[in-house]
Amino acid sequence: MSGNAVQSAGTRYFIATGANATKKCTTEAEYKALTWTEVEEVEDFGAFGEQYEKVTYKTLGDGAVHKKKGTVDYGSATVKLARIPTGTGQAAVKAAAKNRKTAYNHKIEFDDAPDGGTPTTIYLNAYVMDYTTEIGGNDKVIEASVGLEIDAEPVEVAADDAP
């Protein structure tokens, strides 16, 4: 059985702003209660997800290397933007990059909402590690790269046909 693949076009990226922007959320309800600002001109969100450390040990009896799963790293992502540092969302991301102490909440919405429903949404608690400028060559817009280091297990909420 195969599902319906969702195209990237229409995906939107938000950063939490306001009083609870840096509250470490763990549930859908906590994330939904936040105030969100859309980050403008996203070109690519990059890959992210759980990766486990490989733990190995060697036993004398069979002369083999044995493997286990160790600690989990929730990953990182590099978000590519057409650079608009004065845009409300990009300014919020840029400010978050200057905060050395606190992770911010982020939201990604796919363009897969059923008629009258809600889209698949992924919530992240992540440090904004950088906001860098990429000038590139001819026939390119000036871009920005935003580095995110995810600090907690992402919360994914499936698309739903009830708003």
Side-chain angles (χ1 to χ4, degrees), residues 77-131:
T78 300
V79 185
K80 295 278 194 176
L81 310 168
R83 186 177 185 273
I84 305 173
T86 57
T88 308
Q90 286 195 31
V93 168
K94 202 171 176 185
K98 292 182 182 202
N99 184 333
R100 298 174 59 94
K101 297 179 181 180
T102 313
Y104 283 74
N105 294 299
H106 305 262
K107 175 172 76 167
I108 304 160
E109 288 183 349
F110 297 164
D111 188 20
D112 65 347
D115 287 340
T118 58
T120 298
T121 303
I122 300 173
Y123 297 103
L124 308 170
N125 183 267
Y127 287 91
V128 180
M129 301 302 286
D130 53 69
Y131 179 98

Side-chain angles (χ1 to χ4, degrees), residues 13-18 35-41 81-96 131:
Y13 165 49
F14 302 81
I15 186 166
T17 53
T35 301
W36 297 101
T37 299
E38 186 167 3
V39 179
E40 306 85 1
E41 304 298 326
L81 310 168
R83 186 177 185 273
I84 305 173
T86 57
T88 308
Q90 286 195 31
V93 168
K94 202 171 176 185
Y131 179 98

Side-chain angles (χ1 to χ4, degrees), residues 20-40:
N20 291 319
T22 60
K23 174 186 176 190
K24 193 160 196 170
C25 299
T26 58
T27 67
E28 176 185 359
E30 289 176 315
Y31 279 114
K32 280 187 167 184
L34 299 175
T35 301
W36 297 101
T37 299
E38 186 167 3
V39 179
E40 306 85 1

